[in-house]
Amino acid sequence: MAVSPPRSRRTGNTILIQVSDTGSGIGPEDLPHVLDRFWRAEKSRNRHTGGSGLGLSIARQLTEAHGGILSVASAPGTETVFTLRLPL
């Protein structure tokens, strides 16, 4: 998996930041839950073997607290793109 450097640009009164990778992608059945609190795609993981499942949820909450939006798009086997939109 390769992670691309973050890309950013201004669109009107919004800053758009995108981070993408070329990993295995996120399945369509998992995509709606990626930003949920305590959610993990791999059910065999727990706090001792794979984190708490809070990182992306915290990122989403911080983004929303600043009036922004955090979203994710993925094509399995191709790439995953996280997009952060924040008002200027």
Side-chain angles (χ1 to χ4, degrees):
M1 170 179 68
V3 177
S4 299
R7 297 179 304 255
S8 64
R9 70 178 185 269
R10 182 178 179 163
T11 58
N13 290 329
T14 303
I15 185 78
L16 181 99
I17 302 167
Q18 291 183 310
V19 177
S20 62
D21 69 33
T22 57
S24 59
I26 300 169
E29 68 282 356
D30 293 332
L31 202 54
H33 306 288
V34 169
L35 301 176
D36 292 350
R37 188 180 321 180
F38 300 119
W39 188 84
R40 294 181 188 94
E42 189 177 321
K43 302 304 178 212
S44 64
R45 287 187 158 187
N46 60 44
R47 260 184 90 185
H48 301 291
T49 62
S52 62
L54 287 173
L56 291 173
S57 175
I58 292 170
R60 183 185 67 190
Q61 292 296 320
L62 287 170
T63 300
E64 291 174 355
H66 290 279
I69 299 169
L70 177 62
S71 61
V72 59
S74 187
T78 306
E79 73 174 350
T80 299
V81 179
F82 286 89
T83 302
L84 174 67
R85 291 176 178 83
L86 290 170
L88 292 174

